[in-house]
Amino acid sequence: MEANIAIPSESKETWNGGGVKPFGASYGKMMMWFFIVSDALTFSGFLAAYGLTRFKFIDSWPIADEVFTHIPFIHGEYPMYYVAFMTFVLIFSSVTMVLAVDAGHKMQKSKVAWYMFATIIGGLIFVGSQAWEWNTFIKGSYGAVKTTDGKILQFVKDGKQIALADFVVAERTDGRVEHTKKNGLWFEKEGTISQYSVDQIVNSYKANSEIQVRTEFIDLAQKKKTILSREQGLDYLLKANQVVEGANLKVNEYGNTIFADFFFFITGFHGFHVFSGIVINIIIFFNVILGTYEKRGHYEMVEKVGLYWHFVDLVWVFVFTFFYLV
């Protein structure tokens, strides 16, 4: 005879599994941990690829202190200052999220709302700063020229990099203008052309004996890019075939193009995570105000989104280290 085995009602629930909760976590928190682990592996792969590529091109990789030197509305060079500010804001938003979770455990609705609001503001400042940094990186700071063999040449005076506008004079010698619907044939428009021509830059270089050419190659002993003599600089310039202003997926005035590719991809991927977290936080914030979690008797949803937010902050620490510090 088959014995009739009574099944406890709690084991019929999807998660309980016989009344046992793994690590004492709810289904929602456990699924969030699964997502975080899988996403951490994704970021690890991206950063590992970045590290290996940088090691391969270590002699021509852009120097972060020469790339990220800007602060909004302030002229001058302040290496890494604004990036440090962005990092501080994001880490501080993690603190406010911790306080929101703690207030939720104590069922303090108003404090949860205020701390969630502060977290959202911190996230918006970070994303806005990242957008500004992207815009600055894309537009460029100095300008450079690219040779036929793909090398980037920059210009210096008294050992300090200068912009093309600081020494290039006269008008374009090639008569090139940007085509539009009004003056172009067989097409509607084209990408923005450079402000200067290669010949214009070469002639200005010849006319100014104080200007020198700097290559993208780094003297690893001094951790500085190689500055050429006037004669060597002219030889390199005669191989130039493109003026580079700013950075994109094809060219990069700061040096190796692959650096720009990784920068846009990895920081953009992280920025998307932060933006997603902000959207989720806003939804949770309004639910807190409406008293949704007061009615449920717990603020576990705040805790779950807090796990995601802390993960995003932790990932930025690694991105910051790889791109800006190392």
Side-chain angles (χ1 to χ4, degrees), residues 26-316:
S26 67
Y27 177 82
K29 283 200 289 186
M30 186 58 68
M31 292 303 103
M32 179 58 75
W33 276 113
F34 283 160
F35 168 77
I36 287 173
V37 171
S38 63
D39 214 24
L41 293 174
T42 302
F43 273 106
S44 297
F46 293 157
L47 291 175
Y50 172 85
L52 291 172
T53 305
R54 175 175 178 171
F55 180 77
K56 180 178 180 180
F57 298 102
I58 193 170
D59 61 340
S60 63
W61 208 249
I63 300 172
D65 283 349
E66 296 180 353
V67 178
F68 308 104
T69 61
H70 303 83
I71 295 179
F73 313 114
I74 299 178
H75 296 288
E77 295 185 5
Y78 304 93
M80 310 303 292
Y81 281 40
Y82 195 62
V83 180
F85 166 75
M86 291 167 51
T87 303
F88 171 79
V89 169
L90 194 61
I91 292 176
F92 186 77
S93 72
S94 252
V95 175
T96 56
M97 178 58 79
V98 169
L99 295 173
V101 172
D102 181 65
H105 289 160
K106 299 175 181 178
M107 300 300 291
Q108 297 172 330
K109 175 183 172 181
S110 61
K111 286 189 176 182
V112 175
W114 278 111
Y115 288 134
M116 288 288 294
F117 180 75
T119 302
I120 292 168
I121 295 300
L124 289 172
I125 292 174
F126 179 85
V127 170
S129 298
Q130 198 169 51
W132 179 87
E133 187 182 46
W134 266 45
N135 183 60
T136 304
F137 186 69
I138 291 170
K139 288 183 177 179
S141 306
Y142 301 100
V145 295
K146 187 176 183 180
T147 62
T148 53
D149 56 353
K151 302 297 186 296
I152 293 294
L153 305 178
Q154 300 169 336
F155 299 90
V156 297
K157 181 178 180 181
D158 299 326
K160 186 177 181 180
Q161 185 177 2
I162 60 173
L164 296 178
D166 293 334
F167 75 96
V168 179
V169 295
E171 301 294 330
R172 290 185 69 101
T173 55
D174 56 0
R176 184 75 164 84
V177 295
E178 183 177 341
H179 288 295
T180 63
K181 289 183 179 180
K182 294 181 179 180
N183 64 8
L185 298 175
W186 304 107
F187 61 90
E188 294 185 352
K189 62 181 181 179
E190 68 173 345
T192 303
I193 64 172
S194 60
Q195 184 177 355
Y196 308 103
S197 68
V198 173
D199 289 340
Q200 190 180 357
I201 293 173
V202 173
N203 292 334
S204 297
Y205 173 81
K206 292 178 180 178
N208 193 330
S209 60
E210 296 181 340
I211 307 300
Q212 290 180 282
V213 170
R214 186 173 75 171
T215 72
E216 65 183 26
F217 294 103
I218 300 174
D219 183 339
L220 298 179
Q222 298 183 358
K223 295 183 178 181
K224 294 182 178 180
K225 293 182 180 179
T226 305
I227 298 177
L228 305 175
S229 66
R230 287 278 301 174
E231 294 74 17
Q232 290 176 316
L234 183 58
D235 290 340
Y236 271 71
L237 282 178
L238 293 177
K239 299 177 184 178
N241 66 343
Q242 181 181 1
V243 178
V244 181
E245 294 174 316
N248 53 49
L249 298 179
K250 294 181 179 179
V251 291
N252 174 17
E253 75 166 45
Y254 302 102
N256 198 308
T257 304
I258 303 179
F259 172 84
D261 297 341
F262 272 112
F263 176 79
F264 288 126
F265 183 74
I266 294 181
T267 61
F269 191 58
H270 177 266
F272 173 75
H273 278 69
V274 177
F275 176 76
S276 301
I278 292 170
V279 172
I280 297 171
N281 277 335
I282 290 174
I283 295 172
I284 303 300
F285 170 73
F286 281 109
N287 281 337
V288 170
I289 293 177
L290 293 173
T292 301
Y293 307 122
E294 285 286 321
K295 296 174 183 177
R296 292 182 185 179
H298 61 80
Y299 282 82
E300 185 178 301
M301 190 61 72
V302 175
E303 190 171 353
K304 285 186 287 188
V305 74
L307 289 174
Y308 175 78
W309 195 255
H310 296 322
F311 166 71
V312 168
D313 288 3
L314 181 61
V315 168
W316 177 252

